[in-house]
Amino acid sequence: MKTLQKLPLYLLSAGVFAFASCESDDPVIENDGELITDVTLHFTELDEAGNPTGPAMTFTAYDSEGIEVGTAPTVETVNLASGKSYLLEIEVANSIENEDITEEILEESDEHQFYFLGSAFVGTTAPLTYSYNDDNGELIGVKGTVMVVESPATNNAQIRIILRHDLDKNYPGADNPNFENYNSAGGESDLDITFPLVIE
Amino acid sequence: MKKIKLVLLFLCGLANLSFGQDCNLAIRGKVIHLENNESIPGAYIWIEEIKNGAITDLDGNFQIWNLCPGTYTIKIQYLGHQDITETIELKSNSFNKTYRMEDSALDLDGVEVHGHKDAVQTTSTVSALYGEGLLEARGENLGESLKRISGVTSFSTGNSISKPVIHGLHSNRIMILNNGVRLEGQQWGAEHAPEIDPFLADEITVVKGAETVRFGPEAMGGVILVNPGELPTKKDGKTDLYLLGATNGRMGNLSITHENGSEKIQGLGYRIQGSVKRAGNIQSPDYYQSNTGLSEMNFSGTIGYTRAKLGTELYFSHFNTELGILTDSHTGNLSDLEAIIENGRPFSDGEFTYDILNPKQKVSHNLLKLKSHYHINPHWKANIQYGYQANHRREFDKRRGDLNEKASLDLELYTNTLDLFVDHTHENALSGTWGFNLIQQANSNVPGTGVTPLIPNYDMLNAGAYMMEKYSKGPFEVEIGARFDYRTVATARFVDNELEERDLSYQNFTAFLGAYYQISPSLTFSTNLGSAWRPPNVNELFSQGLHHGAAAVEIGDPDLDSEKSLKWVNTLEFSGNQTSFELTGYANRIADYIYLNPTGEVYVSLRGTFNVYEYLQADAFLYGFDFSGSHQFTNRLSAYVKGSIIRAKNLDTESYFPFIPSDRMDWGVAYKIGQEGNSHKFTVSNQLVARQKREPDFDLAPAPAGYALVNFNYLKQFPIGENKMNVGLQISNLFNTSYKEYMNRFRYFTDDIGRNITLKLNYQF
């Protein structure tokens, strides 16, 4: 009974102890592993037999701060020649973490797919045609073929490249690289970049 | 030691009137001294069956309303007098009697001790969910349950995340108390549901006034008290078992509560309680909503010891949930978001599964409370309460590879609360509370998420001192109170690899004035004018980054001021023999109301574009009405109606705030056969919700159309031997109507839940 009567006192001291011992941790710099800072398009000309010839032309879109609030991305203009075919390889990287994200995309090839839209690929006068040509035959878009028409209706167009994550690849139409209703196959966009295109 | 019969009993509010009940009988009486026929003011009347009571007024009169026909045990207690216990039968007429109390000097038998039940005594408008009303709400989360109270709606994110809204305010502008301790979770997020299991309560009370003085900063729109029942003080074991199953989401829910008292040690009692819940993808009328399952496991325990002068209680509660977030709601960028909004529903039909995938949330909350009080003398009581809370919130997004296993938001929040206060009551009807309150909080981002934290780490300390006094005279009561708070917040985070530290402080004075008048035995009026304040939240101050679900970049402002409000709430309450009604009108003027405003700019990244929002402040004016009423046509047939209307304007821009509930009402007819304890009750109700016509200038999609739902409810109560059994069958959205609710953030992506049939079994033994 006596002990119990002192309970408020014990409570108070327990409380004071707890108050004194509870502090927030020091903040830690987080490495944004998910971040994409660089997207590079490698175009290598294909000869008549379909074999790559000559050095690759590279065009890059980069945003040193990734998706955080900050500067807008810098996107280079893609220059291609009319009537020619190219091998297009896409490289995705996180330069802050020095991480090759292309590898991660290939590891999860069943969950990722690139789509090629914009006036360069969509519409009756679209100057470019894309076909998937990935190593294992799966439709991903890390590797593909781009054909430029002989006499384009316009010299300027937009290449819009979208990387979808967690989509249903069996959705009707999802195998079309120019699938405009890509949203209906589910998933979300990891990349959505528009490169200006000039055809010479 | 001279043995005195000492009775410690704390009454739960003056009159907790529920809604939609077809019971409106009353017990009235007068309590006088046996020797000289003088009236006894301040005697306690307790009706065991309804766990409610009253205090006699200066003339010794008391009334208890809203009783159903049945048998009641009336217990009358007054210091120094022998208890009177009487069992009466209420049929179709109300009961009226005068009781004479005998001095207990003649009775020297043992000391009797009663359990404690702390409850809020306020002149503000109070509504409660208990008994049959709470039984109907079992199986729902807190936000959903409270929608049964007029003036309370919910702000939800899908079907499993639901935050209560009182008179248009939610999140950090209202307060939730878990058994008397202010719940401190990550309430700032729209998709952060309150971390509490409604099964631990035997009564959930909503105070609709500004209650900053009593409960501290943030209690601006109102307070929700989730209270377990009184602890037993004698050996009298009771077990309450609930078993629930629902068709939509194939939900299963089990809850068990057991309480008992010690035979050897008088005044020692305990209660243990636990619940588990599992549900899969829920179904809208035309499709399944992918990844909307949930899994919940909660338990709590209380042990209490009550002696004549001292009462001590130790309470612990654990809440643990894992819930899926609708797959389609998680968009990569603005164009994804626009595509699904234009589609108006998920792109795929989904299928049923119990699996919970990313995006998902895992939240646990532990709460420990130690409370003690000591009666210094019959007039003064000293109280100490200490609360410790640990909240751990993890949110998982759809990411690449191993990152899927890592939470992208991982927050640990620790809170200590200390309350020291004294209560005093006197024969001259003056009573009051003086107190001191300390809140200390530490929030840390757990490293290793691979995502720059949305909010900084911080330490917060809040100290407040307050006093409240109430004077009662006959049918009139007046109450005043004042409080001063001081708060410091120290934050730390890295911005572009540089440590940024901020020290902020806030202080405020708040006060209230309230009155309660019993115009006649059946009509009362209450009015309360109270000021309140809320310091800006850490997310409002420092958010800087992408909010994935909303495809939005949110930018905080470290220079935000505290919100200051003045709320006036008035209630007229009538309870006659057959009819009862309640009408509440309120006005709430908030200076420097903080809100998230679209800047109209977009932020462009390699991932796509995002809308940019910033936190701004403006003066706000909210006003509205709640009403509820019921009428008993015959012994068997009754009807009820309830509804609410609210208006909220941004006075600076002359526009409307987003996510303010639209006008709504609910009415129904009930038919009851049998007597109390052995009855069948059928209720058909109709819920009508108007379209929100007062939309903000910017919204991702226009407000959805109004809707009407029909619900059916059957409740059978019957005894099994000495025990009590309740069987309930509820069908909500009977006609499987497709609809969208403006207050649901997922209205952009999907229809609301379709038909749901719930079977409830409750056995009390």
Side-chain angles (χ1 to χ4, degrees):
Chain A
M1 194 66 200
K2 275 269 151 62
T3 354
L4 278 165
Q5 300 238 352
K6 279 185 188 160
L7 231 150
L9 215 74
Y10 296 144
L11 284 186
L12 186 65
S13 42
V16 168
F17 178 73
F19 269 71
S21 65
C22 187
E23 255 189 34
S24 69
D25 300 336
D26 289 333
V28 173
I29 297 171
E30 280 295 342
N31 301 320
D32 282 302
E34 196 75 343
L35 205 62
I36 295 174
T37 59
D38 296 76
V39 176
T40 312
L41 309 182
H42 299 276
F43 284 92
T44 316
E45 204 182 318
L46 294 175
D47 60 19
E48 276 170 19
N51 295 317
T53 55
M57 300 184 283
T58 57
F59 308 99
T60 307
Y62 62 94
D63 185 353
S64 57
E65 294 184 349
I67 56 169
E68 295 308 311
V69 182
T71 52
T74 311
V75 183
E76 290 178 359
T77 301
V78 176
N79 292 294
L80 298 177
S82 57
K84 292 200 168 152
S85 290
Y86 296 93
L87 170 70
L88 169 58
E89 287 165 298
I90 303 177
E91 196 183 297
V92 183
N94 176 352
S95 63
I96 298 174
E97 291 297 298
N98 225 347
E99 208 175 333
D100 180 8
I101 294 173
T102 321
E103 219 167 87
E104 291 176 15
I105 292 169
L106 289 171
E107 271 169 29
E108 286 182 351
S109 57
D110 56 329
E111 287 188 11
H112 288 92
Q113 192 168 341
F114 281 99
Y115 286 102
F116 300 86
L117 303 172
S119 56
F121 293 102
V122 181
T124 46
T125 57
L128 306 189
T129 315
Y130 184 90
S131 43
Y132 291 114
N133 192 12
D134 290 287
D135 285 344
N136 53 4
E138 192 151 16
L139 307 183
I140 310 162
V142 166
K143 214 183 235 186
T145 313
V146 173
M147 285 193 295
V148 188
V149 295
E150 201 70 55
S151 38
T154 169
N155 287 339
N156 293 290
Q158 310 278 323
I159 297 178
R160 184 174 171 210
I161 295 181
I162 291 165
L163 173 61
R164 297 294 285 178
H165 182 192
D166 200 29
L167 75 167
D168 174 11
K169 287 201 172 197
N170 295 319
Y171 189 86
D175 54 354
N176 174 8
N178 314 124
F179 185 42
E180 284 185 280
N181 293 324
Y182 59 84
N183 271 300
S184 46
E188 56 188 82
S189 293
D190 276 357
L191 286 175
D192 186 343
I193 316 164
T194 302
F195 289 84
L197 168 69
V198 173
I199 300 171
E200 285 147 4
Chain B
M1 195 168 95
K2 189 184 169 190
K3 285 183 180 173
I4 317 166
K5 179 167 277 189
L6 206 98
V7 173
L8 307 167
L9 196 64
F10 294 84
L11 298 178
C12 58
L14 282 167
N16 291 326
L17 296 186
S18 72
F19 301 91
Q21 298 229 345
D22 50 0
C23 306
N24 42 32
L25 299 175
I27 294 174
R28 298 201 182 91
K30 192 175 176 86
V31 183
I32 57 176
H33 286 286
L34 181 70
E35 320 85 78
N36 53 15
N37 279 355
E38 273 180 24
S39 59
I40 301 178
Y44 295 109
I45 319 298
W46 185 256
I47 310 285
E48 185 53 38
E49 283 77 6
I50 57 164
K51 297 258 183 278
N52 203 346
I55 304 168
T56 54
D57 62 19
L58 277 190
D59 299 321
N61 292 312
F62 69 89
Q63 296 92 18
I64 293 159
W65 298 288
N66 275 21
L67 297 170
C68 308
T71 310
Y72 293 98
T73 312
I74 304 176
K75 196 162 196 182
I76 304 174
Q77 298 161 325
Y78 188 62
L79 199 69
H81 288 70
Q82 283 183 33
D83 286 5
I84 296 175
T85 305
E86 187 180 43
T87 305
I88 62 144
E89 183 86 12
L90 266 192
K91 286 179 183 158
S92 54
N93 295 316
S94 290
F95 181 82
N96 207 331
K97 190 178 176 179
T98 299
Y99 294 92
R100 288 177 174 81
M101 296 193 86
E102 191 182 344
D103 203 305
S104 65
L106 304 165
D107 173 23
L108 297 173
D109 290 340
V111 172
E112 193 178 343
V113 174
H114 286 251
H116 285 258
K117 179 160 180 175
D118 291 324
V120 60
Q121 292 233 7
T122 172
T123 51
S124 277
T125 306
V126 175
S127 304
L129 203 59
Y130 61 94
E132 231 176 73
L134 190 58
L135 192 64
E136 279 179 25
R138 290 299 192 199
E140 298 170 352
N141 57 39
L142 184 71
E144 286 297 306
S145 307
L146 288 171
K147 281 161 93 173
R148 286 155 208 277
I149 292 176
S150 78
V152 184
T153 43
S154 76
F155 179 39
S156 53
T157 298
N159 196 57
S160 47
I161 299 172
S162 180
K163 296 161 79 83
V165 180
I166 306 173
H167 289 168
L169 300 180
H170 57 81
S171 301
N172 286 83
R173 292 189 183 96
I174 64 165
M175 191 182 290
I176 297 166
L177 289 123
N178 178 347
N179 195 6
V181 180
R182 49 183 284 161
L183 189 69
E184 289 287 348
Q186 304 282 1
Q187 275 306 302
W188 49 271
E191 69 279 40
H192 301 173
E195 301 88 352
I196 193 161
D197 174 21
F199 268 112
L200 62 83
D202 90 334
E203 179 169 308
I204 305 175
T205 307
V206 176
V207 183
K208 294 177 183 170
E211 289 284 350
T212 303
V213 171
R214 204 180 303 267
F215 298 112
E218 299 180 351
M220 190 175 256
V223 178
I224 294 160
L225 297 103
V226 181
N227 282 335
E230 263 175 64
L231 270 187
T233 51
K234 295 176 201 164
K235 190 167 174 62
D236 180 20
K238 270 188 211 147
T239 305
D240 209 352
L241 180 72
Y242 288 89
L243 192 60
L244 289 86
T247 54
N248 203 326
R250 301 182 202 171
M251 187 270 280
N253 196 180
L254 172 80
S255 165
I256 188 160
T257 306
H258 176 72
E259 60 181 42
N260 206 347
S262 164
E263 201 166 16
K264 287 177 190 156
I265 308 166
Q266 205 187 22
L268 187 69
Y270 69 90
R271 176 186 300 117
I272 46 171
Q273 175 267 340
S275 77
V276 286
K277 189 174 181 177
R278 189 80 174 92
N281 287 351
I282 60 156
Q283 204 174 6
S284 293
D286 303 325
Y287 45 85
Y288 281 98
Q289 298 182 18
S290 295
N291 200 35
T292 49
L294 73 91
S295 157
E296 214 174 284
M297 203 273 292
N298 314 306
F299 58 86
S300 70
T302 321
I303 183 158
Y305 180 68
T306 311
R307 297 302 300 170
K309 288 198 162 181
L310 181 82
T312 301
E313 184 187 285
L314 175 67
Y315 170 78
F316 175 76
S317 86
H318 171 78
F319 174 87
N320 191 352
T321 188
E322 176 173 353
L323 50 93
I325 306 289
L326 178 70
T327 314
D328 301 78
S329 73
H330 211 260
T331 55
N333 58 25
L334 190 59
S335 102
D336 278 16
L337 182 71
E338 283 167 350
I340 176 123
I341 289 174
E342 201 191 317
N343 202 46
R345 51 155 287 174
F347 285 110
S348 71
D349 280 350
E351 54 188 23
F352 182 81
T353 171
Y354 280 110
D355 296 342
I356 300 169
L357 308 168
N358 291 3
K360 66 180 176 190
Q361 300 181 357
K362 281 185 182 182
V363 182
S364 72
H365 194 95
N366 291 310
L367 184 148
L368 179 78
K369 169 188 144 177
L370 275 158
K371 190 178 180 202
S372 206
H373 69 254
Y374 183 74
H375 288 266
I376 301 161
N377 63 42
H379 303 301
W380 291 85
K381 183 174 86 163
N383 303 269
I384 175 168
Q385 177 176 301
Y386 166 71
Y388 167 80
Q389 294 174 75
N391 182 291
H392 190 191
R393 163 171 288 272
R394 282 176 293 164
E395 295 183 5
F396 298 81
D397 285 331
K398 185 78 201 168
R399 300 163 87 180
R400 268 189 305 274
D402 297 341
L403 286 172
N404 267 315
E405 308 303 316
K406 281 188 188 173
S408 30
L409 180 84
D410 195 337
L411 290 169
E412 277 180 343
L413 179 70
Y414 296 97
T415 310
N416 288 296
T417 47
L418 181 68
D419 287 278
L420 300 166
F421 59 101
V422 288
D423 295 316
H424 69 93
T425 48
H426 303 281
E427 284 89 353
N428 64 7
L430 193 67
S431 63
T433 305
W434 309 342
F436 173 74
N437 160 261
L438 200 64
I439 307 165
Q440 188 253 337
Q441 201 162 66
N443 182 72
S444 305
N445 284 284
V446 178
T449 58
V451 175
T452 303
L454 192 66
I455 62 167
N457 292 358
Y458 68 85
D459 290 288
M460 187 271 276
L461 189 69
N462 191 105
Y466 61 96
M467 65 181 293
M468 290 177 286
E469 286 292 326
K470 179 150 85 177
Y471 181 74
S472 318
K473 186 170 184 181
F476 183 69
E477 245 174 48
V478 61
E479 192 183 18
I480 56 163
R483 178 182 182 116
F484 182 78
D485 280 287
Y486 183 78
R487 172 177 293 203
T488 62
V489 182
T491 70
R493 66 165 168 185
F494 281 98
V495 179
D496 296 331
N497 294 335
E498 291 202 14
L499 185 66
E500 181 195 87
E501 287 179 303
R502 295 288 293 242
D503 287 307
L504 301 161
S505 69
Y506 305 92
Q507 61 188 60
N508 213 68
F509 175 80
T510 47
F512 75 90
L513 175 65
Y516 173 90
Y517 184 65
Q518 191 167 340
I519 300 162
S520 77
S522 53
L523 191 66
T524 60
F525 176 72
S526 68
T527 182
N528 185 291
L529 179 69
S531 66
W533 75 297
R534 179 180 80 89
N537 242 304
V538 169
N539 69 310
E540 293 160 339
L541 296 166
F542 296 107
S543 275
Q544 193 173 47
L546 188 64
H547 187 195
H548 254 289
V553 171
E554 295 176 359
I555 299 171
D557 176 2
D559 298 322
L560 292 174
D561 294 323
S562 297
E563 290 181 350
K564 294 159 288 287
S565 78
L566 189 63
K567 184 172 182 180
W568 188 28
V569 55
N570 300 287
T571 299
L572 190 66
E573 203 173 281
F574 174 80
S575 39
N577 279 339
Q578 267 132 27
T579 308
S580 65
F581 74 82
E582 190 184 300
L583 179 67
T584 299
Y586 59 91
N588 195 354
R589 173 78 159 73
I590 307 175
D592 296 324
Y593 181 89
I594 301 169
Y595 66 105
L596 196 58
N597 185 60
T599 58
E601 291 166 19
V602 290
Y603 172 68
V604 185
S605 77
L606 294 181
R607 205 183 170 115
T609 51
F610 301 93
N611 281 324
V612 179
Y613 291 75
E614 60 186 345
Y615 283 99
L616 292 183
Q617 292 194 294
D619 290 347
F621 186 61
L622 291 86
Y623 64 96
F625 298 94
D626 309 333
F627 59 92
S628 65
S630 66
H631 184 74
Q632 189 87 31
F633 293 101
T634 69
N635 268 350
R636 292 180 166 185
L637 188 68
S638 64
Y640 76 89
V641 62
K642 62 188 174 192
S644 65
I645 290 170
I646 177 164
R647 299 286 176 265
K649 280 213 93 171
N650 181 332
L651 297 177
D652 290 9
T653 61
E654 289 295 317
S655 55
Y656 298 101
F657 289 112
F659 290 108
I660 297 296
S662 59
D663 300 346
R664 59 196 61 216
M665 65 172 281
D666 183 5
W667 65 281
V669 178
Y671 190 77
K672 192 171 185 173
I673 319 165
Q675 323 88 43
E676 201 59 35
N678 194 353
S679 62
H680 302 268
K681 187 181 169 187
F682 303 87
T683 312
V684 176
S685 62
N686 178 212
Q687 196 182 340
L688 300 164
V689 178
R691 178 175 181 271
Q692 180 55 279
K693 293 183 199 131
R694 293 159 194 86
E695 295 181 69
D697 295 337
F698 175 87
D699 199 345
L700 296 169
Y707 61 89
L709 301 179
V710 175
N711 303 313
F712 170 79
N713 194 6
Y714 166 72
L715 179 67
K716 179 177 167 60
Q717 298 185 295
F718 61 99
I720 299 179
E722 297 261 287
N723 308 325
K724 202 173 148 189
M725 182 86 188
N726 296 306
V727 177
L729 181 76
Q730 280 170 237
I731 308 175
S732 50
N733 195 356
L734 185 66
F735 298 118
N736 209 19
T737 308
S738 293
Y739 72 100
K740 290 181 174 186
E741 164 59 52
Y742 178 71
M743 294 296 286
N744 187 342
R745 291 171 66 242
F746 281 1
R747 68 179 156 95
Y748 300 126
F749 316 119
T750 176
D751 284 337
D752 227 295
I753 186 169
R755 184 190 297 122
N756 189 14
I757 305 169
T758 314
L759 180 69
K760 300 183 179 182
L761 305 175
N762 170 224
Y763 187 47
Q764 296 167 13
F765 58 102

